[in-house]
Amino acid sequence: MAGWRPDPEPEPESVFPREVRLFSDSYSESSRFCFCGHELSITQNFGSRLGVAARVWDAALSLCHYFESQNVDFRGKKVIELGAGTGIVGILAALQGGDVTITDLPLALEQIQDNVHANVPSGGRVKVCALSWGIDQHGFPGNYDLVLGADIVYLEATFPLLLGTLQHLCGPRGTIYLASKMREEHGTEVFFQDFLPQHFQLELAQRDEDVNVNIYRARHREVRPAGHHPFC
């Protein structure tokens, strides 16, 4: 019979796994993390829309572990997180008593807001806002006590924009904590060696060899009074 073909042999089970999410454009996954006595439930919405903003990266977990191990004090501090993705770092800061603003590009805000609602009790001092580096940072105050970022240093074209944003947001006596996977191919080390030291005193606070993550602490350089001699 013209056009007739025999029925194909059934494919082995291993070729077409039953995991429906592997065939879908996007899927959500909820994970639990415990830091500073808080159990966090963080939803990650994987798919083409959110891209790198979807997941909890190693650098974010390293930064949360650092805050726990060093007993970093967030109580009453004015805090902002940049490029938050899932918002896990800012959420932990809020649960630890910070007055927190969590920021990212508009496409990530719904995911962050959902995670805030799932973890921060009503009345918690946290808000979620869009912030594009180098474009609208001046719509935010310039007196944050703590500026946080996890794995936000990976596109060299954004380095000057990020630097300008950090300069504006970090208060005169504020502190910046940046955790970064040290990807040579993305020029990450260049930012910390050449860009950040232009305006900030920088120190390596912690190195996690297992996941190749560095945590840096930065503060504004002290401005000496006019006519001040370093040996006076």
Side-chain angles (χ1 to χ4, degrees):
M1 181 184 300
W4 178 85
R5 295 287 186 276
D7 291 334
E9 291 294 320
E11 294 286 351
E13 183 78 15
S14 60
V15 176
F16 294 108
R18 294 184 181 275
E19 287 278 358
V20 174
R21 72 184 191 185
L22 297 180
F23 299 100
S24 62
D25 179 62
S26 61
Y27 64 95
S28 295
E29 184 176 286
S30 183
S31 302
R32 293 190 178 275
F33 306 91
C34 189
F35 298 106
C36 305
H38 306 288
E39 185 174 296
L40 308 182
S41 176
I42 302 296
T43 297
Q44 303 163 83
N45 296 299
F46 294 100
S48 57
R49 182 172 174 270
L50 283 180
V52 297
R55 62 173 291 186
V56 175
W57 295 91
D58 287 335
L61 298 179
S62 292
L63 192 53
C64 289
H65 279 298
Y66 176 82
F67 292 152
E68 181 176 49
S69 66
Q70 300 301 310
N71 196 25
V72 174
D73 187 8
F74 290 96
R75 290 172 299 176
K77 300 289 179 63
K78 191 172 182 179
V79 184
I80 188 167
E81 183 186 2
L82 304 180
T86 63
I88 185 172
V89 173
I91 288 169
L92 180 62
L95 292 173
Q96 287 294 93
D99 179 359
V100 182
T101 300
I102 304 178
T103 72
D104 207 322
L105 296 175
L107 60 83
L109 299 188
E110 182 179 357
Q111 173 173 265
I112 297 170
Q113 194 71 67
D114 288 345
N115 283 326
V116 167
H117 286 154
N119 291 279
V120 181
S122 58
R125 304 185 68 181
V126 56
K127 58 184 177 180
V128 178
C129 303
L131 196 167
S132 298
W133 307 338
I135 297 175
D136 53 13
Q137 70 268 20
H138 293 286
F140 291 77
N143 61 347
Y144 286 96
D145 299 306
L146 295 168
V147 182
L148 315 177
D151 231 350
I152 62 175
V153 181
Y154 57 87
L155 288 175
E156 290 194 54
T158 68
F159 290 177
L161 306 176
L162 176 56
L163 179 61
T165 301
L166 293 172
Q167 283 180 265
H168 171 72
L169 295 175
C170 185
R173 302 199 177 280
T175 302
I176 298 167
Y177 287 103
L178 295 178
S180 287
K181 180 88 77 170
M182 301 307 292
R183 302 178 179 90
E184 183 178 350
E185 68 275 18
H186 292 166
T188 306
E189 194 168 335
V190 172
F191 180 80
F192 291 105
Q193 286 189 347
D194 299 338
F195 281 82
L196 211 52
Q198 293 175 25
H199 299 281
F200 294 94
Q201 293 176 330
L202 182 68
E203 59 180 317
L204 177 61
Q206 181 176 286
R207 165 80 182 155
D208 190 336
E209 290 284 355
D210 291 339
V211 290
N212 189 28
V213 169
N214 287 358
I215 297 177
Y216 292 93
R217 182 169 51 235
R219 296 184 176 93
H220 279 292
R221 294 190 178 279
E222 292 186 17
V223 178
R224 298 183 182 278
H228 176 81
H229 193 281
F231 301 105
C232 291

